[in-house]
Amino acid sequence: MQYLGNVNKTCQLSCKYDLCIHTGVVLRSANTREDEVHSLGTLNIVEYSFGKCIEWKPIEDSVVSENQDQDPEWSLVDTHTRRTHTSSEGPDSLGRTRIVRILFSDLNSFRVNHGGQQLIFMQKDGTTYVAFFQLSNAESFVNSLKGFIKFVKSRANRNLYIVVDEVQSVLSKSFAELDLFQENTSDYVWKFVKNLHNRPYETTLEAFSKLADIWLYKEPVKRPVEEAVADLLNSSLTIDVPHPPVSVGSGEEYEVIGHGLGVTLPPRPPCPRGSPLSQEQWNKYKDPEGRIVNPQEVKEVIFRGGVAPSLRFEVWKFLLNYYPWDSTHIERLELKKKKTDEYFMMKLQWRSMTVTQQNNFSDYRDRKSLIEKDVNRTDRTHPYYSGDNNPHLAQLYDILMTYVMYNFDLGYVQGMSDLLSPILCLMENEVDAFWCFVGFMDKVCTNFEIDQAGMKAQLCQLYTLLSTTDPQLAHYLNKHDSGNMFFCFRWLLVLFKREFNAIDIMKLWEILWTDLPCKNFHLLLCAAILDTERNVLMDNRYGFTEILKHINDLSLHIELPWTLSKAEGIYHQLMAVADQLPDNVRAVIGLEPLNKTLVTNDTENGEASGQDTDEVDGVNGSPRRNSTESDNVKFGNNEVSFERGLNLSYM
């Protein structure tokens, strides 16, 4: 570490002063793929006229332009052309690697990992940068920071340091930053409210698309959002559950002094993963006529390790109910012929529509238009769908249009193309992909219903589950305007499609399709991810906006095997105290209620009220209505859950 002397406080605006320099450092954004090449550079503590900051620059950049020094606001342009409100600078006209600046006033915390060779900076807005120290130890840089900013070590995580700052009112700031509308007039606001009541799902997605642009592009906010909209968005879901008492220590760390719902979980057991289902194993499960003799045992093997890639083409057809497990080779050939004829008959129905028919069928036109837009931006970075005039995009379009004819009540909703894309890529056959997609949609169709009852129920169930598995985190989320679990909306809607790469999502889906070890295992997976991130969320004292941004930034950075093992461990913890679990928690994991006097109560529009909560058999999509011992989420009449966690905008 090299120190460069005192700073002249009367320097000109364009001047900068290096306070210390650390060489041999690679820096990347948390949004960047780990397989991308990163430049080697220097990590400096620098003072400009507008304040001190941490600055990283590649070795080839020896000077900083005068314009850079004069403006404290820069934007980082990543590989997806997203711009975020950060103090970073894009590549210059020659395409050289950008300079990154993190203002001390924007720094929320930092963490030392991997034996002191990695330093992670977390900003107040949730942006994360990871520094890799190749020539020295990150601790020396931390020691240098002590002379410039005040921070304390987290009691919960000895590698985490919290920057001491004034506590801000995040809720009021959040809505000021959510400037959803191009026109901030009362007429526009109430037009949005009216549309929200008349067509809630489409309006919600449209509004979130605007919301995503605000977060990603961080356009300046001219005026606050109308109170009417703020109230509408914030009151869509409200939490009404008892929480454990929580004390706050002097170091601003949380310490649980009670237990959620009166249940103390035992230590979490290790749950190692296994090997994928092999061709040899698969052959042993078939009788001479081709029947699968022990489907449950096959599913157990798949749950433990997935399916060998070469077998997926065949095994997925059983998991997705295209082929019955007890069908013979001959019966499957006959079934495929029948399903092929049925598919092309439905395809002919929409392809033979006249222009006059389409003009007289507004619902059909709307769905067709939405499919056209979504297909052209679905997985275009994947080799199977890349390039212009790609024939696979035409197949994707044809399958989705045919599904509209197959299930017109549901039709097409944004997000379905995400679920079909990996299936078509694997099957490489229009008919097989369609019927597997039908099987998948049968499992998750309630995610896409217009009243969002299925999504509301799952968000409610997730909070119920978290209140038992991690009451401290559940309490924290509720206190920070996130107990509605909206930030998990995208996870649930498209079943983690945006969170894992193409290889991992195939393995995850086939594991979830086994319905093992319990129903709603995908909710345990959510709990496992949140368990991994709990210290970051709580120690940084993140509010609603920061929680959402941090969770979205996890995309493509979640380790699947470890998360699956943790989720299974949470299941075993719950089963160890199954007789102590309240009925609403038992219902989430598929156990019979202990209170046999529970009364079902059908409510209109799939909304939960009083003592009843709509429950959906998550991945299976079967609606269930069971009363619960405590209300987790209440839905107002004709209100829609505004899914701030959903980000289906393609950049």
Side-chain angles (χ1 to χ4, degrees), residues 498-514:
R498 301 292 181 85
E499 316 316 316
F500 295 96
N501 61 39
I503 296 175
D504 281 350
I505 198 59
M506 287 187 167
K507 174 170 285 191
L508 175 58
W509 281 356
E510 62 201 13
I511 289 170
L512 293 177
W513 293 336
T514 65

Side-chain angles (χ1 to χ4, degrees), residues 370-384:
L370 185 55
I371 290 173
E372 289 172 348
K373 292 177 182 177
D374 282 358
V375 162
N376 287 326
R377 55 195 185 186
T378 298
D379 287 341
R380 296 306 305 274
T381 58
H382 192 287
Y384 193 76

Side-chain angles (χ1 to χ4, degrees), residues 243-245 256-265 467-468 471-472:
H243 293 288
V256 176
I257 57 177
H259 296 285
L261 302 178
V263 178
T264 302
L265 299 181
S467 295
T468 296
Q472 181 187 9

Side-chain angles (χ1 to χ4, degrees), residues 68-111:
Q68 294 165 3
D69 290 330
Q70 290 176 351
D71 186 1
E73 299 291 334
W74 292 276
S75 60
L76 168 65
V77 182
D78 66 14
T79 55
H80 298 286
T81 68
R82 296 181 177 182
R83 292 178 294 153
T84 61
H85 182 69
T86 123
S87 43
S88 304
E89 183 174 273
D92 61 16
S93 59
L94 300 178
R96 294 178 295 185
T97 310
R98 56 184 169 266
I99 294 173
V100 176
R101 297 185 183 93
I102 305 172
L103 289 170
F104 280 178
S105 57
D106 292 338
L107 187 62
N108 198 61
S109 67
F110 49 93
R111 186 171 64 204

